[in-house]
Amino acid sequence: MTLLMSLANYINIKAGLMDYFRPYDATILPTRTTITRLTNYKGMWNVFADLEIMISARRLERDNVGLELGNVEREVMKLVCQYKPEDIAGIKEMQYGGYQRIYTPGNWAKSNWMSKTFIRIRFYHTGDILP
């Protein structure tokens, strides 16, 4: 999923770990998954996955969070809040859970400002969960 904004040449959301060498980075990591069986449908499971999107803005000056990180946070919020079912194949629902800025001495010293955005997705799984 690529962010459509003036920073589109610099950032995209990818699965995996942070790339601290890019000026802007956003990665998505699953943190918790809940699975429930849909009682009316044999072999169909309702899956909720909690995800964290880690956003990093390395190009900012020390002691100055600036607007760039906030712009990326708002763009991610807009993408999640305006999500329509099946915009991403198989994903039935996406919910925005807020964000949290990460302020640590290490971030300040490296001029690497970060935040976490929390989302929840819902999709269905058919068949057996375990082999």
Side-chain angles (χ1 to χ4, degrees):
M1 171 184 341
T2 300
L3 297 178
L4 301 174
M5 55 192 260
S6 61
L7 297 175
N9 295 331
Y10 300 102
I11 191 167
N12 66 355
I13 299 175
K14 65 184 182 316
L17 301 175
M18 298 289 294
D19 179 357
Y20 292 100
F21 298 104
R22 294 180 58 100
Y24 301 100
D25 192 45
T27 58
I28 189 164
L29 294 169
T31 57
R32 182 173 171 227
T33 302
T34 306
I35 302 171
T36 57
R37 182 178 212 127
L38 295 175
T39 56
N40 294 337
Y41 300 95
K42 184 176 181 173
M44 185 171 261
W45 302 85
N46 197 21
V47 181
F48 286 95
D50 293 335
L51 307 167
E52 289 182 2
I53 300 174
M54 297 288 296
I55 301 168
S56 171
R58 186 172 177 80
R59 299 182 65 185
L60 305 176
E61 299 174 13
R62 290 183 186 171
D63 282 341
N64 182 14
V65 176
L67 299 176
E68 293 90 345
L69 184 59
N71 289 341
V72 176
E73 289 166 346
R74 284 184 291 281
E75 190 65 25
V76 169
M77 180 182 7
K78 183 175 91 175
L79 289 170
V80 173
C81 291
Q82 293 179 350
Y83 182 80
K84 294 180 180 79
E86 298 293 331
D87 272 355
I88 301 171
I91 306 297
K92 303 294 182 194
E93 181 180 340
M94 190 178 298
Q95 301 168 352
Y96 180 75
Y99 74 92
Q100 170 187 354
R101 286 280 176 98
I102 301 170
Y103 297 109
T104 65
N107 288 353
W108 171 84
K110 297 174 187 171
S111 187
N112 187 19
W113 300 97
M114 299 172 61
S115 72
K116 288 183 193 179
T117 299
F118 306 97
I119 66 171
R120 175 175 249 207
I121 61 171
R122 181 172 63 90
F123 59 94
Y124 297 116
H125 177 78
T126 55
D128 293 330
I129 294 292
L130 299 173

